[in-house]
Amino acid sequence: MLRRSFLAVLSAALAAPLQAQNAARPDPENTLQIDLKDGKVLIALRPDLAPKHVAQIKTLVKRGFYDGIVFHRVIEGFMAQTGDPRGNGTGGSDLPNIPAEFSREPFARGTVGMARAQDPNSANSQFFICFGDASFLNGQYTVVGKVIDGMAAVDRIKKGDRAANGAVANPDRMLKVRLLADVK
């Protein structure tokens, strides 16, 4: 009996580093790679929190929808918003809007959320990346992911004019967006 518990403890001790290593590896089917002028950004998508939103983002990514789209609204200390093919915050994709999938996941530095109009069920293709704490958004916007690498490149996205609600003249853009599984 003592031998069996010793073996169980030893087995668990040896397995723990391997489990931690596997947990640190991003799931390539649910990780976005966004190429920016200042580097690559990896975003771990959260289908466990927002399955419909994540499915729509992945569909748009596979179509190449996000390639070349600008960060049209960027507010220092708050967030960088993108995903509008018109580049002014009024556009979306040809896919239907998505019903809200609110969760208890907090909006903190690196959190990725879906932008929407006043109607909570109006998210489509636009999303934002938080530069810092944005807890005032908790429970009111859908969390779709989190930056797991490349936040320094996000921090260097060109900021907009606060007086113009973050509108950006000559904005930075997402050069290319792919699922990690499709990056060659």
Side-chain angles (χ1 to χ4, degrees):
M1 191 139 164
L2 179 62
R3 183 174 185 205
R4 217 180 291 185
S5 62
F6 173 74
L7 290 176
V9 169
L10 181 61
S11 176
L14 293 174
L18 183 59
Q19 289 170 345
Q21 182 182 2
N22 287 338
R25 289 187 187 150
D27 172 5
E29 294 296 330
N30 285 301
T31 304
L32 292 183
Q33 177 178 299
I34 302 175
D35 296 344
L36 302 177
K37 68 174 178 50
D38 290 314
K40 295 182 186 323
V41 177
L42 294 181
I43 296 172
L45 296 173
R46 297 288 309 268
D48 58 315
L49 298 178
K52 293 175 185 166
H53 286 76
V54 168
Q56 183 133 317
I57 289 170
K58 288 168 67 171
T59 296
L60 293 171
V61 166
K62 286 187 177 284
R63 288 184 181 179
F65 175 85
Y66 290 113
D67 296 350
I69 292 195
V70 301
F71 287 90
H72 64 273
R73 182 173 176 240
V74 185
I75 300 173
E76 178 83 41
F78 175 31
M79 60 87 216
Q81 186 172 333
T82 187
D84 173 13
R86 294 182 186 167
N88 62 12
T90 64
S93 75
D94 61 349
L95 298 176
N97 289 346
I98 316 160
E101 295 178 294
F102 299 153
S103 67
R104 293 180 178 259
E105 190 70 20
F107 280 89
R109 178 169 169 76
T111 300
V112 180
M114 288 300 282
R116 61 171 176 79
Q118 191 170 0
D119 177 359
N121 301 314
S122 62
N124 184 282
S125 63
Q126 294 187 43
F127 63 89
F128 58 90
I129 304 170
C130 294
F131 290 124
D133 175 68
S135 56
F136 56 92
L137 301 177
N138 291 352
Q140 298 179 58
Y141 287 81
T142 299
V143 173
V144 295
K146 177 94 173 167
V147 173
I148 57 172
D149 191 34
M151 197 62 197
V154 172
D155 288 335
R156 288 191 291 274
I157 294 170
K158 184 178 179 185
K159 308 304 183 278
D161 180 358
R162 250 190 205 281
N165 197 25
V168 185
N170 300 313
D172 288 345
R173 57 185 67 241
M174 295 184 287
L175 304 174
K176 196 171 209 173
V177 182
R178 297 286 176 268
L179 285 170
L180 203 53
D182 298 332
V183 172
K184 295 177 174 63

